[in-house]
mmCIF file of all heavy atoms in Angstrom:
data_model
loop_
_atom_site.group_PDB
_atom_site.id
_atom_site.type_symbol
_atom_site.label_atom_id
_atom_site.label_comp_id
_atom_site.label_asym_id
_atom_site.label_seq_id
_atom_site.Cartn_x
_atom_site.Cartn_y
_atom_site.Cartn_z
ATOM 1 N N LEU A 53 83.978 179.086 279.201
ATOM 2 C CA LEU A 53 84.264 180.035 278.120
ATOM 3 C C LEU A 53 85.634 180.690 278.239
ATOM 4 O O LEU A 53 86.325 180.865 277.229
ATOM 5 C CB LEU A 53 83.162 181.093 278.056
ATOM 6 C CG LEU A 53 81.860 180.664 277.379
ATOM 7 C CD1 LEU A 53 80.783 181.715 277.592
ATOM 8 C CD2 LEU A 53 82.077 180.441 275.882
ATOM 9 N N HIS A 55 88.363 179.434 279.342
ATOM 10 C CA HIS A 55 89.345 178.447 278.899
ATOM 11 C C HIS A 55 89.441 178.453 277.368
ATOM 12 O O HIS A 55 90.542 178.414 276.805
ATOM 13 C CB HIS A 55 88.955 177.043 279.367
ATOM 14 C CG HIS A 55 88.727 176.904 280.844
ATOM 15 N ND1 HIS A 55 87.782 177.646 281.521
ATOM 16 C CD2 HIS A 55 89.293 176.090 281.777
ATOM 17 C CE1 HIS A 55 87.795 177.306 282.803
ATOM 18 N NE2 HIS A 55 88.707 176.368 282.977
ATOM 19 N N SER A 82 73.735 169.693 290.124
ATOM 20 C CA SER A 82 73.398 168.285 290.364
ATOM 21 C C SER A 82 72.120 168.203 291.193
ATOM 22 O O SER A 82 71.518 169.220 291.557
ATOM 23 C CB SER A 82 74.545 167.582 291.085
ATOM 24 O OG SER A 82 74.710 168.089 292.396
ATOM 25 N N GLY A 109 75.937 156.833 287.003
ATOM 26 C CA GLY A 109 74.964 156.038 286.273
ATOM 27 C C GLY A 109 73.810 155.518 287.097
ATOM 28 O O GLY A 109 73.181 154.518 286.739
ATOM 29 N N SER A 135 89.347 158.815 276.627
ATOM 30 C CA SER A 135 89.575 159.764 277.715
ATOM 31 C C SER A 135 91.061 159.927 277.978
ATOM 32 O O SER A 135 91.840 158.981 277.829
ATOM 33 C CB SER A 135 88.874 159.279 278.994
ATOM 34 O OG SER A 135 89.094 160.184 280.056
ATOM 35 N N SER A 137 91.977 160.560 280.938
ATOM 36 C CA SER A 137 92.068 160.076 282.324
ATOM 37 C C SER A 137 92.044 158.557 282.282
ATOM 38 O O SER A 137 92.017 157.952 281.206
ATOM 39 C CB SER A 137 90.881 160.581 283.150
ATOM 40 O OG SER A 137 89.682 159.953 282.719
ATOM 41 N N ILE A 160 83.715 149.655 288.614
ATOM 42 C CA ILE A 160 83.454 150.315 287.329
ATOM 43 C C ILE A 160 84.119 149.539 286.198
ATOM 44 O O ILE A 160 83.519 149.319 285.139
ATOM 45 C CB ILE A 160 83.947 151.774 287.376
ATOM 46 C CG1 ILE A 160 83.050 152.604 288.308
ATOM 47 C CG2 ILE A 160 83.983 152.389 285.982
ATOM 48 C CD1 ILE A 160 83.596 153.967 288.657
ATOM 49 N N ARG A 166 80.130 144.083 281.136
ATOM 50 C CA ARG A 166 78.691 143.816 281.104
ATOM 51 C C ARG A 166 78.023 144.530 279.925
ATOM 52 O O ARG A 166 76.801 144.605 279.850
ATOM 53 C CB ARG A 166 78.051 144.249 282.428
ATOM 54 C CG ARG A 166 78.590 143.498 283.642
ATOM 55 C CD ARG A 166 77.839 143.851 284.909
ATOM 56 N NE ARG A 166 78.332 143.075 286.043
ATOM 57 C CZ ARG A 166 79.225 143.517 286.928
ATOM 58 N NH1 ARG A 166 79.700 144.758 286.828
ATOM 59 N NH2 ARG A 166 79.646 142.748 287.919
ATOM 60 N N GLY A 174 92.062 154.803 277.170
ATOM 61 C CA GLY A 174 92.413 155.700 278.264
ATOM 62 C C GLY A 174 93.428 155.034 279.170
ATOM 63 O O GLY A 174 94.056 154.036 278.808
ATOM 64 N N LYS A 182 95.234 144.604 288.196
ATOM 65 C CA LYS A 182 95.847 144.496 289.528
ATOM 66 C C LYS A 182 94.820 144.896 290.570
ATOM 67 O O LYS A 182 94.822 146.002 291.102
ATOM 68 C CB LYS A 182 97.087 145.391 289.606
ATOM 69 C CG LYS A 182 98.177 144.982 288.622
ATOM 70 C CD LYS A 182 99.394 145.895 288.717
ATOM 71 C CE LYS A 182 100.461 145.480 287.719
ATOM 72 N NZ LYS A 182 101.651 146.363 287.781
ATOM 73 N N LYS A 187 91.138 139.183 290.514
ATOM 74 C CA LYS A 187 90.715 138.875 289.149
ATOM 75 C C LYS A 187 91.562 139.648 288.147
ATOM 76 O O LYS A 187 91.987 140.773 288.414
ATOM 77 C CB LYS A 187 89.238 139.228 288.951
ATOM 78 C CG LYS A 187 88.281 138.411 289.800
ATOM 79 C CD LYS A 187 86.842 138.843 289.559
ATOM 80 C CE LYS A 187 85.872 138.035 290.417
ATOM 81 N NZ LYS A 187 84.467 138.493 290.219
ATOM 82 N N SER A 196 86.695 137.929 275.232
ATOM 83 C CA SER A 196 85.509 138.539 274.615
ATOM 84 C C SER A 196 85.808 139.147 273.253
ATOM 85 O O SER A 196 84.945 139.812 272.664
ATOM 86 C CB SER A 196 84.953 139.625 275.539
ATOM 87 O OG SER A 196 84.530 139.073 276.771
ATOM 88 N N SER A 210 98.943 149.936 266.030
ATOM 89 C CA SER A 210 98.107 148.744 265.888
ATOM 90 C C SER A 210 97.270 148.823 264.625
ATOM 91 O O SER A 210 96.933 149.899 264.130
ATOM 92 C CB SER A 210 97.195 148.585 267.102
ATOM 93 O OG SER A 210 96.195 149.597 267.114
ATOM 94 N N ALA A 217 90.422 147.447 273.357
ATOM 95 C CA ALA A 217 90.542 147.943 274.731
ATOM 96 C C ALA A 217 91.975 148.456 274.883
ATOM 97 O O ALA A 217 92.905 147.665 274.998
ATOM 98 C CB ALA A 217 90.263 146.836 275.731
ATOM 99 N N LEU A 219 94.309 150.339 277.156
ATOM 100 C CA LEU A 219 94.548 150.807 278.521
ATOM 101 C C LEU A 219 96.020 151.195 278.586
ATOM 102 O O LEU A 219 96.884 150.409 278.963
ATOM 103 C CB LEU A 219 94.187 149.705 279.514
ATOM 104 C CG LEU A 219 92.717 149.271 279.440
ATOM 105 C CD1 LEU A 219 92.492 147.953 280.164
ATOM 106 C CD2 LEU A 219 91.803 150.354 280.007
ATOM 107 N N SER A 230 103.728 166.783 279.945
ATOM 108 C CA SER A 230 104.572 165.940 280.800
ATOM 109 C C SER A 230 104.829 164.569 280.204
ATOM 110 O O SER A 230 105.345 163.681 280.887
ATOM 111 C CB SER A 230 103.933 165.796 282.184
ATOM 112 O OG SER A 230 103.773 167.062 282.798
ATOM 113 N N ASP A 238 95.566 160.746 268.499
ATOM 114 C CA ASP A 238 95.692 159.396 267.941
ATOM 115 C C ASP A 238 94.503 158.518 268.328
ATOM 116 O O ASP A 238 93.985 157.751 267.503
ATOM 117 C CB ASP A 238 96.982 158.738 268.439
ATOM 118 C CG ASP A 238 98.239 159.414 267.910
ATOM 119 O OD1 ASP A 238 98.166 160.071 266.852
ATOM 120 O OD2 ASP A 238 99.297 159.299 268.569
ATOM 121 N N GLY A 253 75.733 152.928 262.237
ATOM 122 C CA GLY A 253 76.136 154.153 262.908
ATOM 123 C C GLY A 253 76.865 153.887 264.205
ATOM 124 O O GLY A 253 77.092 152.739 264.592
ATOM 125 N N GLU A 259 86.711 162.543 275.935
ATOM 126 C CA GLU A 259 86.899 163.502 277.027
ATOM 127 C C GLU A 259 88.332 164.017 277.072
ATOM 128 O O GLU A 259 89.283 163.234 277.096
ATOM 129 C CB GLU A 259 86.580 162.862 278.381
ATOM 130 C CG GLU A 259 86.700 163.864 279.520
ATOM 131 C CD GLU A 259 86.807 163.223 280.894
ATOM 132 O OE1 GLU A 259 87.263 162.051 280.989
ATOM 133 O OE2 GLU A 259 86.456 163.899 281.878
ATOM 134 N N GLU A 278 95.976 171.939 277.580
ATOM 135 C CA GLU A 278 95.012 170.831 277.586
ATOM 136 C C GLU A 278 93.766 171.178 276.776
ATOM 137 O O GLU A 278 93.164 170.301 276.138
ATOM 138 C CB GLU A 278 94.653 170.460 279.025
ATOM 139 C CG GLU A 278 95.788 169.803 279.796
ATOM 140 C CD GLU A 278 96.160 168.419 279.298
ATOM 141 O OE1 GLU A 278 95.288 167.718 278.737
ATOM 142 O OE2 GLU A 278 97.326 168.026 279.464
ATOM 143 N N ALA A 295 83.118 165.229 255.918
ATOM 144 C CA ALA A 295 83.186 164.282 254.804
ATOM 145 C C ALA A 295 82.011 163.317 254.807
ATOM 146 O O ALA A 295 81.486 162.950 253.748
ATOM 147 C CB ALA A 295 84.502 163.510 254.872
ATOM 148 N N ASN A 298 76.639 162.692 257.660
ATOM 149 C CA ASN A 298 75.579 162.074 258.473
ATOM 150 C C ASN A 298 75.982 162.001 259.937
ATOM 151 O O ASN A 298 75.471 161.166 260.678
ATOM 152 C CB ASN A 298 75.274 160.662 257.958
ATOM 153 C CG ASN A 298 74.511 160.661 256.648
ATOM 154 O OD1 ASN A 298 73.374 161.113 256.596
ATOM 155 N ND2 ASN A 298 75.145 160.186 255.591
ATOM 156 N N LYS A 320 99.004 190.150 270.109
ATOM 157 C CA LYS A 320 100.249 190.056 269.337
ATOM 158 C C LYS A 320 101.189 189.011 269.923
ATOM 159 O O LYS A 320 101.843 188.265 269.199
ATOM 160 C CB LYS A 320 100.938 191.413 269.275
ATOM 161 C CG LYS A 320 100.177 192.446 268.454
ATOM 162 C CD LYS A 320 100.929 193.767 268.410
ATOM 163 C CE LYS A 320 100.164 194.798 267.591
ATOM 164 N NZ LYS A 320 100.877 196.100 267.569
ATOM 165 N N THR A 321 101.293 188.958 271.235
ATOM 166 C CA THR A 321 102.189 187.984 271.867
ATOM 167 C C THR A 321 101.483 186.680 272.206
ATOM 168 O O THR A 321 102.106 185.754 272.734
ATOM 169 C CB THR A 321 102.810 188.562 273.144
ATOM 170 O OG1 THR A 321 101.760 188.864 274.083
ATOM 171 C CG2 THR A 321 103.597 189.830 272.838
ATOM 172 N N SER A 329 89.574 182.050 290.909
ATOM 173 C CA SER A 329 88.857 182.390 292.132
ATOM 174 C C SER A 329 88.649 181.192 293.051
ATOM 175 O O SER A 329 88.163 181.336 294.171
ATOM 176 C CB SER A 329 87.495 183.005 291.786
ATOM 177 O OG SER A 329 86.682 182.078 291.085
ATOM 178 N N ILE A 359 70.796 167.567 276.872
ATOM 179 C CA ILE A 359 71.736 167.232 275.796
ATOM 180 C C ILE A 359 71.568 165.793 275.310
ATOM 181 O O ILE A 359 71.445 165.562 274.094
ATOM 182 C CB ILE A 359 73.175 167.546 276.231
ATOM 183 C CG1 ILE A 359 73.343 169.072 276.322
ATOM 184 C CG2 ILE A 359 74.192 166.938 275.268
ATOM 185 C CD1 ILE A 359 74.692 169.529 276.826
#
Side-chain angles (χ1 to χ4, degrees):
L53 282 170
H55 305 59
S82 67
S135 180
S137 69
I160 290 168
R166 299 186 177 97
K182 298 180 181 179
K187 296 179 181 178
S196 297
S210 70
L219 300 165
S230 301
D238 293 336
E259 183 197 25
E278 290 292 332
N298 287 295
K320 292 181 180 179
T321 62
S329 62
I359 290 176

